[in-house]
Amino acid sequence: MIDIVIASFLIGLSGAAAPGPMTASVLGLGSRRPGPFVAGLIAGHGIPEAAMVAAIACGVREVPYINLVALLGSGVLIVLGIGQFLHAGDAVVANEEAGIPVAFGAACTLGNPYWWVWWLTFGVGFLALHPSFTAFYVGHIGADVAWLGLLGIAVSRGANVLGPHYKKVVQASGLAMVLFGLYFIVTVLSA
């Protein structure tokens, strides 16, 4: 079972470390208090991941209305990215208290068609060969905790170095989330 946790962690780390909307979220909003923000982001990401693992464990191999779910998630990602861009100077404290990081995590996950493709191809295949669902989930989400936690700490420290220029980083991250959302919508509609 520990081998499944380790394999899942390493596989998950390769995905977590890839540039994408989760990374953009941490770069944009996780600067002042990375602990609560990253925890909320991972919770928002972890809920759909847990649901997917449970669905695969129950035999689900296809998701109905997958394109609609991906389009809605992409739309939420765009709206959150616009909000981050427009409110770069004051979004962090208010958003931490309002639970927005959980929404960011869920939107980044559900709006990403590559997440769906990964789970419905590799995820299903891996879990069919190694049906240790809990061990897989623990390793997989552990990679997100490790990577995004380290990134959050680094961004928090870097924000102090950048000072007033950090607002530009937050705006760039918001713009990146909008672009990811638009790219995901184009990807879903052209499939």
Side-chain angles (χ1 to χ4, degrees):
M1 182 152 99
I2 191 71
D3 56 334
I4 300 299
V5 172
I6 293 169
S8 176
F9 179 85
L10 294 175
I11 292 164
L13 195 57
S14 68
M22 293 285 284
T23 299
S25 295
V26 172
L27 291 175
L29 293 177
S31 64
R32 294 190 189 156
R33 291 177 47 211
F37 178 79
V38 172
L41 187 70
I42 292 169
H45 175 68
I47 293 167
E49 296 236 312
M52 186 63 81
V53 170
I56 292 169
C58 292
V60 172
R61 300 294 184 261
E62 292 183 24
V63 177
Y65 307 110
I66 187 172
N67 288 344
L68 179 61
V69 172
L71 288 172
L72 290 173
S74 296
V76 171
L77 188 61
I78 291 168
V79 169
L80 294 173
I82 290 170
Q84 179 175 322
F85 181 85
L86 295 175
H87 304 287
D90 56 11
V92 179
V93 176
N95 285 343
E96 284 176 357
E97 294 171 2
I100 293 297
V102 176
F104 265 69
C108 290
T109 302
L110 296 173
N112 187 343
Y114 299 105
W115 180 82
W116 293 97
V117 169
W118 188 92
W119 272 105
L120 296 174
T121 56
F122 181 80
V124 166
F126 186 92
L127 289 171
L129 294 173
H130 311 284
S132 300
F133 301 103
T134 303
F136 183 85
Y137 182 78
V138 166
H140 193 75
I141 208 71
D144 294 320
V145 170
W147 173 254
L148 295 174
L150 288 172
L151 185 60
I153 291 168
V155 168
S156 175
R157 304 248 163 101
N160 293 331
V161 173
L162 291 174
H165 302 290
Y166 186 70
K167 181 177 179 179
K168 293 176 185 171
V169 173
V170 174
Q171 289 175 322
S173 296
L175 182 59
M177 288 194 303
V178 170
L179 294 175
F180 277 119
L182 292 171
Y183 177 71
F184 294 157
I185 287 172
V186 169
T187 301
V188 169
L189 294 177
S190 65

